[in-house]
């Protein structure tokens, strides 16, 4: 039975989520503020499989909690951020801090359950797969780093999975829907903006290591890594 840590200061929302998750056969831990969340994570990290983390929290906000989780984790467990804001900058900030996914309030508990299940399915995916090593850059899957020569950029696990997926399909464009199904394991077409944001972040990191020209966009089709410069 997977264990979910819900970090949410609104008791009505928190209890509603807990009820839904328990009906789905999941074990639930609760935290009503950022400090309790950190204490719970430190004490029960080995039990926790996924974290549902609100951004606006008393004592410590969600971004501070997320930083503590990523700085002290023994393995990469998925984190889904909850936010009342529907602004792209907030989503990018959370993803940059190490979140795997985000949901904007109000949301349906049914959709949250679907996101949790897909995140748990993808948690232990071997991102190494059969990625081709004929690009001037590579992924260090142990340290989650993008490496090109003597330059490197830290990647989130989701970024590693996305980049590996594109590397395995060198010189081919793939659609946002294909990326969602492969990297996020769900098919909600309303969430293709998630792909756009991750692609934008990857493009920036590739540019920082001197390989930004490889990630291409084909309007109306999708994205691809190409060496036909």
């Amino acid at each position: 039975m997977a264990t979910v840590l819900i970090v949410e200061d609104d008791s009505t929302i928190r209890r509603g989520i807990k009820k839904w998750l328990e009906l789905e056969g999941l074990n639930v831990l609760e935290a009503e503020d950022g400090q309790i969340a950190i204490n719970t994570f430190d004490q029960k990290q080995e039990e926790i499989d996924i974290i549902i983390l609100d951004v606006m929290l008393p004592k410590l906000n969600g971004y501070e909690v997320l930083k503590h989780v990523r700085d002290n984790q023994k393995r990469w467990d998925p984190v889904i951020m909850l936010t009342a804001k529907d602004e792209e900058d907030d989503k990018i900030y959370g993803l940059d801090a190490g979140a795997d996914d985000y949901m904007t309030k109000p949301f349906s508990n049914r959709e949250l359950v679907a996101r949790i299940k897909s995140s748990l399915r993808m948690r232990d995916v071997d991102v190494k797969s059969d990625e081709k090593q004929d690009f001037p850059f590579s992924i260090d899957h142990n340290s989650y780093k993008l490496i090109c020569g003597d330059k490197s950029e830290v990647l989130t696990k989701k970024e590693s999975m996305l980049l590996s997926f594109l590397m395995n399909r060198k010189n081919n464009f793939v659609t946002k829907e294909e990326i969602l199904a492969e990297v996020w394991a769900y098919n909600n077409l309303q969430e293709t903006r998630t792909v756009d944001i991750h692609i934008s972040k990857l493009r920036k990191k590739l540019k920082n290591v001197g390989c930004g020209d490889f990630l291409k966009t084909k309007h109306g089709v999708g994205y691809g890594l190409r060496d036909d410069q």
Side-chain angles (χ1 to χ4, degrees):
M1 178 187 298
T3 296
V4 183
L5 171 59
I6 302 172
V7 187
E8 166 63 65
D9 63 316
D10 187 314
S11 59
T12 300
I13 294 176
R14 191 176 68 250
R15 290 167 185 166
I17 294 173
K18 179 181 180 181
K19 181 178 179 181
W20 268 86
L21 299 188
E22 289 179 338
L23 288 173
E24 293 292 329
L26 298 168
N27 185 43
V28 177
L29 300 174
E30 300 177 69
E32 62 188 33
D33 65 49
Q35 188 58 60
I36 293 175
I38 285 178
N39 294 343
T40 303
F41 175 79
D42 289 345
Q43 295 168 10
K44 299 187 177 183
Q45 179 179 167
E46 294 183 0
E47 300 176 31
I48 297 170
D49 298 293
I50 185 170
I51 300 173
I52 310 304
L53 179 60
D54 190 25
V55 171
M56 301 301 292
L57 295 168
K59 298 185 180 180
L60 297 171
N61 65 40
Y63 301 128
E64 293 172 300
V65 174
L66 179 57
K67 184 179 187 306
H68 179 87
V69 168
R70 292 306 183 218
D71 286 347
N72 295 277
Q73 64 191 4
K74 297 177 182 177
R75 64 179 184 184
W76 189 285
D77 287 326
V79 175
I80 300 176
M81 300 288 288
L82 305 180
T83 175
K85 301 177 181 179
D86 195 19
E87 297 180 6
E88 188 164 291
D89 285 348
D90 296 304
K91 297 171 183 177
I92 292 174
Y93 191 90
L95 295 172
D96 279 337
D100 297 274
D101 203 353
Y102 58 81
M103 294 189 70
T104 303
K105 296 178 182 177
F107 55 83
S108 75
N109 285 328
R110 190 182 303 276
E111 174 67 13
L112 178 59
V113 168
R115 299 282 190 96
I116 289 171
K117 288 183 176 180
S118 67
S119 293
L120 288 173
R121 286 196 299 271
M122 300 304 291
R123 180 186 55 181
D124 298 320
V125 167
D126 181 5
V127 296
K128 299 177 185 179
S129 61
D130 61 344
E131 74 186 30
K132 298 175 176 59
Q133 298 298 326
D134 47 3
F135 288 100
F137 56 85
S138 62
I139 306 170
D140 184 328
H141 293 285
N142 295 315
S143 61
Y144 293 109
K145 283 186 178 180
L146 167 65
I147 299 171
C148 184
D150 59 354
K151 297 181 179 179
S152 67
E153 281 279 322
V154 176
L155 301 173
T156 66
K157 182 172 182 179
K158 194 67 70 177
E159 289 169 348
S160 296
M161 293 174 67
L162 174 55
L163 185 57
S164 182
F165 175 68
L166 295 175
M167 290 174 75
N168 287 330
R169 288 150 185 81
K170 179 183 177 182
N171 291 334
N172 290 294
F173 287 101
V174 291
T175 67
K176 298 176 187 179
E177 292 77 16
E178 289 176 295
I179 293 172
L180 272 178
E182 181 73 18
V183 180
W184 277 266
Y186 59 78
N187 299 299
N188 185 345
L189 301 187
Q190 294 180 345
E191 292 300 329
T192 55
R193 191 61 187 140
T194 299
V195 176
D196 294 333
I197 292 173
H198 275 81
I199 289 290
S200 177
K201 291 168 72 248
L202 266 184
R203 181 173 280 119
K204 180 180 179 181
K205 291 182 179 182
L206 282 164
K207 182 178 179 180
N208 288 345
V209 298
C211 294
D213 292 338
F214 286 89
L215 183 50
K216 305 290 187 180
T217 301
K218 188 171 185 178
H219 294 291
V221 180
Y223 301 106
L225 283 171
R226 305 180 68 86
D227 64 359
D228 50 350
Q229 305 293 310

